[in-house]
Amino acid sequence: MSLILISRSDIALGKSLSWPLYDQQHNMLIERGSIVRDKEHMDELLAQGACRELSFENFAVTEKEVPAASTLEEPGNDASPQFTFDDMKLKVESRLQLEPSAQLGRESYFVKVIGFIRGVSLLVTSPSGAKGEKPELKEGLKVTMRSFSGQNAFGFSCTLQRIVKNPYDYLHLSFPESIKGIMIRKAVRIKTRIIAAVQNRNSVNNAKAIPALISNISADGAALDSKHFLGDKEDILNLSFRVNLHKIDAY
């Protein structure tokens, strides 16, 4: 599960949440559909480092260069660039998002790749929802799959060829023939674990430096993880950190 920190602008007080919230150790704080009662409740969640899951639906609103999300609503849409199966860089335990046909609702489920036979079948684990619920699937059903790899989000259609129950639950999907995608990041992100001190220049109280972790970095920016509220959108942050370059500590 990939998590992104929420901000105040992500939450509407008194309205149901569209997604569950987790802490940075992936423990659920509140369920999907819960209501953030007031400002004090919001402050409590932000202080706990509340996060939501990074999903396909987030991409169009988190990256300025992304075209409209509707271009991938149906993987067969010719408005989306064509990719190959290898472009998705799927491997065992890669996560995919599975969307059944509209007749079964618009709920999405997550599965993991078990393996594949090129040109024949894609094998994935049995899908389950956030609360462990399982969709009512039937062989022959058309499903839409979503994948994310590095800089691109992908979408493709499959047919559920077989539901296997023994020795454990898993699915045989038809091997994808047409794969569409959009670029959601201009630069590859590299995972890091750099300890940093963060000071908000927009704070009227000249707030003290807050500990944080630079969890990834790219040519276009970086991600900061912290258990404390760092600031609002458009605030300017001063970062102080140390890295070791060629066996020399640089500050």
Side-chain angles (χ1 to χ4, degrees):
M1 181 189 299
S2 298
L3 299 177
I4 55 174
L5 284 168
I6 63 166
S7 64
R8 293 180 185 274
S9 59
D10 292 328
I11 298 177
L13 295 179
K15 294 186 177 181
S16 299
L17 289 173
S18 301
W19 10 254
L21 295 182
Y22 303 86
D23 63 19
Q24 295 177 31
Q25 284 71 48
H26 294 207
N27 300 310
M28 185 178 290
L29 296 176
I30 55 177
E31 298 180 348
R32 176 181 178 179
S34 300
I35 294 176
V36 179
R37 302 180 302 274
D38 47 36
K39 182 178 179 297
E40 288 71 24
H41 190 192
M42 183 186 294
D43 290 342
E44 179 184 343
L45 291 170
L46 293 173
Q48 295 179 73
C51 302
R52 57 174 168 152
E53 185 166 8
L54 176 64
S55 65
F56 182 85
E57 287 74 15
N58 298 143
F59 297 158
V61 297
T62 55
E63 299 287 344
K64 293 181 180 179
E65 66 271 22
V66 182
S70 58
T71 60
L72 271 181
E73 277 299 311
E74 296 297 334
N77 189 341
D78 291 335
S80 304
Q82 187 74 41
F83 290 84
T84 68
F85 182 81
D86 292 332
D87 290 328
M88 294 191 291
K89 300 178 182 177
L90 295 182
K91 57 185 180 180
V92 173
E93 294 201 345
S94 291
R95 294 189 83 202
L96 297 174
Q97 193 174 28
L98 182 150
E99 296 176 5
S101 58
Q103 291 86 343
L104 296 179
R106 299 296 296 176
E107 188 74 24
S108 296
Y109 303 88
F110 288 98
V111 298
K112 290 185 178 181
V113 174
I114 298 174
F116 63 88
I117 303 174
R118 189 177 297 275
V120 178
S121 183
L122 174 64
L123 281 67
V124 299
T125 58
S126 181
S128 60
K131 298 180 182 178
E133 69 276 12
K134 293 183 178 294
E136 296 183 8
L137 302 179
K138 295 182 180 180
E139 293 180 1
L141 181 71
K142 291 277 189 180
V143 296
T144 299
M145 308 298 294
R146 311 289 188 190
S147 173
F148 168 68
S149 177
Q151 295 170 252
N152 299 300
F154 302 99
F156 56 93
S157 295
C158 290
T159 301
L160 178 49
Q161 295 179 323
R162 189 175 181 186
I163 301 174
V164 181
K165 298 291 186 181
N166 188 29
Y168 52 85
D169 293 349
Y170 67 95
L171 307 178
H172 277 270
L173 303 176
S174 61
F175 195 80
E177 297 179 355
S178 177
I179 299 168
K180 300 295 183 177
I182 52 175
M183 177 183 287
I184 63 170
R185 293 175 180 166
K186 291 182 178 179
V188 175
R189 297 184 183 183
I190 306 300
K191 290 185 178 181
T192 61
R193 289 189 60 83
I194 302 173
I195 297 173
V198 182
Q199 194 164 23
N200 190 328
R201 286 176 55 182
N202 295 77
S203 174
V204 295
N205 299 321
N206 293 321
K208 295 181 179 179
I210 297 172
L213 189 72
I214 303 176
S215 57
N216 71 53
I217 194 167
S218 76
D220 291 330
L224 287 174
D225 294 338
S226 177
K227 294 182 178 180
H228 306 280
F229 178 63
L230 297 178
D232 292 308
K233 187 176 180 180
E234 305 298 339
D235 282 358
I236 297 175
L237 304 179
N238 284 341
L239 304 184
S240 302
F241 56 92
R242 179 180 68 184
V243 292
N244 189 276
L245 302 174
H246 307 293
K247 299 183 179 180
I248 299 176
D249 283 339
Y251 293 88

